[in-house]
């Protein structure tokens, strides 16, 4: 008789461990939570862009707060009309701060350095510096002597921005010119 083929005993797969099942379920929950958060973020983005598109596509309507507030909100002095407001003109002068008076006060008496006296009429530019100190000076113009200080206005030369000593001597810097002891 022929020999029977040897039978191979098949083994059943090892039973799944309880820990492996817990890990698989936890991963499935995390994936579902991530999909939910991602979907919520997309929904929020679409809602925000839809709201912006809606507000831009609507015509402008006047809004009156009196229609919204209840009558018991309190008495208000409502204006019937709004007056046209004129836009203020920009003042680009760096010295105007709102803390200085419009008309400059007389400079405080103090030591003033005397410059060499020059005889004859003032230079053709209009002004010559006669005496100077930090913050104040005496300038000669066609119409006579002017005591000036930083911030004051010199007729024909504008507002005085600075009175300073340089290596070449004292100078007065205004919004329109620079005044020195000689014609510049």
């Amino acid at each position: 008789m022929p020999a029977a083929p040897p039978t191979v005993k098949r083994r059943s797969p090892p039973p799944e461990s309880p820990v492996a099942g817990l890990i698989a379920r936890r991963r499935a929950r995390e994936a579902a939570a991530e999909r939910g958060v991602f979907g919520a973020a997309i929904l929020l983005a679409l809602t925000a862009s839809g709201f912006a598109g809606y507000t831009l596509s609507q015509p402008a309507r006047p809004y009156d707060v009196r229609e919204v507030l209840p009558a018991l909100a309190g008495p208000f002095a409502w204006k019937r009309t709004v007056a046209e407001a004129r836009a203020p003109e920009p003042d680009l002068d760096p010295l105007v701060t709102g803390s200085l008076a419009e008309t400059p006060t007389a400079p405080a008496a103090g030591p003033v350095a005397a410059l060499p006296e020059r005889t004859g009429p003032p230079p053709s530019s209009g002004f010559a510096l006669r005496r100077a100190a930090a913050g104040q000076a005496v300038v000669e113009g066609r119409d006579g002597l002017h005591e000036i200080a930083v911030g004051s206005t010199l007729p024909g030369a504008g507002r005085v921005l600075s009175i300073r000593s340089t290596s070449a001597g004292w100078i007065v810097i205004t919004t329109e010119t620079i005044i020195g002891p000689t014609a510049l």
Side-chain angles (χ1 to χ4, degrees):
M1 175 166 167
T7 59
V8 176
K9 217 176 185 187
R10 290 190 179 181
R11 283 200 250 168
S12 61
E16 199 172 303
S17 74
V19 174
L22 291 175
I23 292 174
R25 282 193 298 269
R26 189 180 82 207
R27 286 183 181 165
R29 277 194 311 267
E30 287 175 354
E34 286 178 5
R35 285 192 297 268
V37 168
F38 185 70
I42 288 178
L43 181 66
L44 182 64
L46 290 174
T47 303
S49 63
F51 178 72
Y54 170 76
T55 55
L56 291 174
S57 68
Q58 297 300 313
R61 289 183 228 153
Y63 179 75
D64 190 5
V65 73
R66 289 177 287 183
E67 297 173 3
V68 179
L69 289 177
L72 299 175
F76 294 103
W78 298 104
K79 293 182 180 179
R80 294 284 179 193
T81 60
V82 176
E84 282 290 323
R86 197 175 74 173
E89 295 180 16
D91 185 13
L92 303 177
D93 191 354
L95 290 178
V96 176
T97 62
S99 63
L100 299 175
E102 275 298 314
T103 57
T105 59
V112 176
L115 297 174
E117 283 296 324
R118 202 191 99 200
T119 57
S124 61
S125 66
F127 296 98
L129 183 62
R130 295 296 174 222
R131 290 188 301 266
Q136 56 188 6
V138 176
V139 177
E140 183 181 1
R142 291 187 189 118
D143 55 346
L145 293 175
H146 299 275
E147 281 192 39
I148 58 172
V150 175
S152 64
T153 303
L154 185 60
R159 186 175 297 251
V160 177
L161 299 175
S162 174
I163 300 172
R164 64 175 68 164
S165 176
T166 64
S167 60
W170 285 89
I171 60 170
V172 175
I173 301 173
T174 68
T175 54
E176 296 179 15
T177 187
I178 298 175
I179 303 169
T182 58
L184 298 176

